[in-house]
């Protein structure tokens, strides 16, 4: 590093550290700073004191008037003495000194009169723009003395070095920039570190711009969807049925693995089980011929899926006879067999064997059960039950009355409660028997108020038994009861169970858009638009077109268009174009008219097709 003076003084030589820079402030004071950290340092050059005073005396002009004794010398507020300042002012003007940029993250050095940093372009402060006093003025010792006297009267502005800006997020290091384009293309650039070997610093700079594809960056779905399912121009209907069945089997296997990871008595376990049953139900609709509630193959296949596993009951294997041989060693607990006997009746009804349930009830003297069930079979069976009741109860001899044992059967069986109510023709009101909670009365400032306690998990898990016993024993108003059961489960948060009930009662459960009045389901398996719910609904649309002959679900076309846009954003233009063709074919084939096939949707579909043509180069004739 050079000395702050243009020429060395006679008899003196200043030795400076090459890692120390300097500059003059507005008061003409000399400051030293470390160029690596841009912070001031306490540095003093070494010199010969004798040569210093000798050179000072020779440099003072002859016209200099010494200081009077009555004038006190100014106090030394800086490391320099007044004589040192006079010496600095009497030297020749120094060349321009490069001053550092006040921004701590910038390594630029600028001239004193520069207004903007040549490196980063930031405006420079007053300290950086100020010129060196020795370079723009010729001061004399007398003028310096007057300036010192004025500075005593006015408070001097203290120079405070600028502190580096706090950067907790590390913005100074740069950040990646990503711009998304149509067709799954991305323009990306990442900052890179460039080493400045002259100043021994590392400075971030923008990196090269690269073109990438989103489908190569984001991991693909582990189980790819087979859409579009309906109106796929590339796959036949027969092959599409096989692809859909294979896809649904893979999804259900994944759900089974999720179910194995949770506890068997938890709410999540039963909800995952209900989701699996919903997917199995839709798969049955795809693979089986017929329609729902056709009392033929479709109903039988649905019942096989939804019916819980029960043990087969032989008609003649009754373990509890009505005429015991010896009752002396029995206790009251042994006589309480209500749950066992009610479960036997329930198993008969789950298998759809009403006559077997009637015969078991007659054998065990359960006349109330026998009369209720036989009334919904045929008139001949009902008359036979009445005849048996008269023979057993009205013609009993005294000896028979002494030997008979009457079982006090009373229990809490939800499925039988609902079924017996439906046998009476109650319809949807019969579902009031599904959840029977004791109403509690709570004292409030306004009096007693009835409060219904929340349903227990042990009650809600019986939905499958109740639904299966309804499907195995059809009654005139059972569809109303299925819809009511779906409403109860939906209020309890069991969305999959509710949608199963709604799919089995389409006459009373409207399947339409979310903004339709009295709509009960839109996307299957969720009350929110999720990917799984959309895929399952599109498969259900395909199943409905196979059996009912309906072209498509109008409200689902908007979801298809959104899904096609996502595919295009991922760069899957082939699948997106197939979806565009499927949506266009659905709109053309639906002749009934629907508020969901409005002009705005048609315009969006046409605009999407134009974007696809431009992205694939079809319109301009190039790829």
């Amino acid at each position: 590093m050079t000395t702050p003076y243009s020429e060395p003084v006679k008899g003196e030589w200043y030795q400076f550290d090459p890692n120390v820079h300097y500059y003059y402030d507005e008061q003409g004071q000399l400051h030293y700073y470390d160029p690596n950290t841009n912070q001031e340092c306490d540095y003093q050059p070494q010199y010969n004191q004798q040569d210093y005073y000798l050179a000072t005396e020779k440099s003072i002009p002859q016209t200099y008037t010494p200081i009077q004794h009555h004038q006190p010398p100014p106090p030394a507020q800086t490391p320099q003495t007044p004589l040192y300042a006079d010496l600095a002012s009497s030297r020749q003007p120094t060349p321009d000194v490069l001053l550092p940029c006040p921004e701590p993250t910038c390594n630029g050095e600028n001239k004193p009169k520069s207004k903007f940093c040549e490196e980063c372009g930031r405006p420079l402060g007053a300290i950086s723009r100020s010129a060196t006093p020795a370079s723009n003025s010729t001061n004399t010792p007398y003028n310096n003395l007057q300036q010192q006297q004025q500075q005593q009267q006015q408070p001097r502005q203290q120079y405070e070095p600028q502190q580096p800006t706090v950067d907790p997020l590390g913005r100074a290091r740069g950040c990646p920039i990503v711009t998304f384009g149509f067709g799954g293309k991305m323009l990306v650039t990442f900052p890179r570190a460039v080493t400045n070997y002259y100043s021994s610093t590392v400075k971030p700079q923008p990196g090269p711009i690269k073109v990438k594809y989103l489908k190569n960056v984001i991991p693909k779905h582990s189980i790819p969807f087979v859409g579009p399912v309906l109106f796929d121009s590339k796959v036949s209907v027969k092959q599409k049925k096989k692809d859909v069945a294979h896809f649904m089997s893979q999804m259900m296997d994944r759900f089974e693995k999720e179910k194995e990871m949770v506890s068997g008595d938890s709410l999540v376990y039963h909800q995952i089980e209900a989701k699996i049953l919903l997917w199995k139900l839709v798969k049955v609709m795809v693979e089986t011929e017929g329609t729902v509630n056709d009392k033929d193959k479709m109903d039988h296949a649905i019942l096989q899926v939804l019916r819980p596993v029960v043990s087969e009951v032989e008609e003649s294997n009754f373990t509890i006879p009505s005429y015991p041989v010896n009752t002396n060693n029995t206790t009251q607990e042994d006589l309480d067999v209500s749950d066992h006997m009610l479960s036997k009746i329930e198993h008969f009804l789950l298998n759809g064997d009403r006559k077997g349930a009637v015969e078991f009830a007659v054998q065990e003297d359960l006349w109330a059960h026998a009369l209720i069930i036989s009334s919904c079979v045929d008139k001949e069976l009902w008359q036979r039950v009445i005849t048996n009741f008269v023979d057993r109860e009205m013609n009993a001899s005294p000896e028979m009355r002494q030997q008979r044992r009457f079982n006090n059967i009373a229990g809490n069986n939800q499925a039988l409660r609902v079924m017996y109510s439906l046998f009476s023709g109650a319809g949807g009101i019969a579902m009031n028997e599904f959840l029977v909670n004791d109403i509690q009365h709570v004292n409030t400032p306004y009096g007693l108020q009835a409060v219904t306690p929340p349903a227990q998990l042990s009650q809600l898990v019986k939905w499958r038994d109740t639904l299966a016993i309804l499907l195995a024993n059809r009654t005139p108003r059972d569809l109303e009861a299925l819809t009511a059961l779906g409403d109860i489960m939906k209020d309890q948060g069991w969305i999959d169970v509710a949608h199963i009930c709604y799919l089995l009662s389409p006459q009373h459960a409207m399947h339409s858009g979310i903004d339709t009045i009295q709509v009960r389901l839109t996307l299957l398996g969720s009350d929110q638009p999720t990917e799984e719910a959309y895929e399952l609904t599109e498969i259900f649309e395909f199943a409905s077109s196979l059996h009912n002959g309906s072209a498509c679900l109008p409200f689902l076309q908007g979801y298809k268009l959104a899904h096609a846009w996502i595919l295009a954003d991922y760069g899957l233009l082939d699948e997106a174009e197939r979806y565009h063709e499927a949506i266009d074919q659905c709109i053309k084939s639906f002749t009934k008219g629907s508020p969901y096939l409005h002009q705005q949707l048609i315009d969006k579909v046409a605009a999407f097709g134009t974007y696809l043509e431009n992205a694939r180069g079809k319109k301009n004739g190039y790829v």
Side-chain angles (χ1 to χ4, degrees), residues 466-522:
T466 305
L467 179 60
I469 203 171
L470 263 65
L471 297 177
N473 303 272
R474 306 310 296 258
T475 56
R477 300 177 61 185
D478 54 359
L479 296 181
E480 299 179 16
L482 290 176
T483 305
L485 178 60
D487 295 339
I488 293 175
M489 301 305 294
K490 185 177 182 180
D491 294 340
Q492 299 295 331
W494 294 53
I495 304 299
D496 298 286
V497 178
H499 288 181
I500 290 175
C501 298
Y502 294 152
L503 291 179
L504 297 178
S505 57
Q507 294 84 354
H508 297 272
M510 182 177 295
H511 187 192
S512 183
I514 194 173
D515 55 346
T516 305
I517 300 177
Q518 295 181 352
V519 64
R520 280 187 164 86
L521 76 161
T522 301

Side-chain angles (χ1 to χ4, degrees), residues 355-372:
K355 293 183 178 180
V358 170
E359 292 178 0
F360 174 77
V362 170
Q363 178 68 24
E364 301 299 326
D365 288 342
L366 303 177
W367 299 110
H369 296 268
L371 290 172
I372 293 175

Side-chain angles (χ1 to χ4, degrees), residues 211-231:
V211 179
K212 293 183 178 293
Y213 291 91
L214 190 61
K215 63 181 179 181
N216 298 331
V217 177
I218 298 179
K220 298 181 180 179
H221 200 284
S222 58
I223 305 177
F225 187 53
V226 294
V229 184
L230 184 63
F231 294 132

Side-chain angles (χ1 to χ4, degrees), residues 287-526:
E287 297 176 340
T288 308
E289 297 179 358
T291 59
V292 179
N293 301 323
D294 61 353
K295 299 180 180 179
D296 199 359
K297 295 181 180 180
M298 179 65 73
D299 282 0
H300 180 71
I302 292 174
L303 183 59
Q304 293 297 325
V305 170
L306 298 179
R307 182 165 49 195
V309 179
V310 295
S311 60
E312 297 182 0
V313 181
E314 297 181 1
E315 297 182 4
S316 60
N317 186 16
F318 298 140
T319 58
I320 305 176
S322 299
Y323 299 93
V325 178
N326 187 8
T327 59
N328 296 328
N329 298 328
T330 58
T331 61
Q332 188 64 28
E333 289 186 1
D334 297 333
L335 297 177
D336 189 6
V337 291
S338 300
D339 294 338
H340 178 76
M341 301 186 72
L342 293 179
S343 297
K344 277 186 173 290
I345 297 177
E346 181 183 357
H347 290 171
F348 277 111
L349 294 179
L350 283 174
N351 292 323
D353 188 6
R354 299 187 191 181
K355 293 183 178 180
V358 170
E359 292 178 0
F360 174 77
V362 170
Q363 178 68 24
E364 301 299 326
D365 288 342
L366 303 177
W367 299 110
H369 296 268
L371 290 172
I372 293 175
I373 299 173
S374 62
S375 64
C376 297
V377 178
D378 52 37
K379 187 175 182 181
E380 181 181 357
L381 180 60
W382 181 65
Q383 291 178 350
R384 191 173 63 184
V385 171
I386 294 178
T387 302
N388 291 335
F389 172 74
V390 171
D391 293 340
R392 293 279 297 273
E393 301 297 333
M394 302 302 170
N395 296 326
S397 62
E399 293 80 9
M400 295 175 58
R401 289 197 299 269
Q402 292 178 359
Q403 295 179 359
R404 288 187 56 184
R405 185 188 69 181
F406 294 92
N407 296 316
N408 186 14
I409 303 301
N412 185 10
N413 192 297
Q414 295 171 259
L416 290 182
R417 290 203 307 261
V418 173
M419 195 70 251
Y420 289 172
S421 298
L422 285 175
F423 286 159
S424 66
I429 304 177
M431 279 302 156
N432 294 334
E433 301 295 334
F434 179 70
L435 294 178
V436 178
N437 296 320
D438 296 333
I439 299 178
Q440 302 176 0
H441 295 82
V442 180
N443 290 322
T444 63
Y446 304 97
L448 291 177
Q449 290 186 357
V451 177
T452 303
Q456 301 295 328
L457 180 62
S458 58
Q459 296 177 309
L460 297 176
V461 296
K462 295 296 183 179
W463 69 269
R464 189 175 179 182
D465 299 335
T466 305
L467 179 60
I469 203 171
L470 263 65
L471 297 177
N473 303 272
R474 306 310 296 258
T475 56
R477 300 177 61 185
D478 54 359
L479 296 181
E480 299 179 16
L482 290 176
T483 305
L485 178 60
D487 295 339
I488 293 175
M489 301 305 294
K490 185 177 182 180
D491 294 340
Q492 299 295 331
W494 294 53
I495 304 299
D496 298 286
V497 178
H499 288 181
I500 290 175
C501 298
Y502 294 152
L503 291 179
L504 297 178
S505 57
Q507 294 84 354
H508 297 272
M510 182 177 295
H511 187 192
S512 183
I514 194 173
D515 55 346
T516 305
I517 300 177
Q518 295 181 352
V519 64
R520 280 187 164 86
L521 76 161
T522 301
L523 297 181
L524 301 183
S526 176

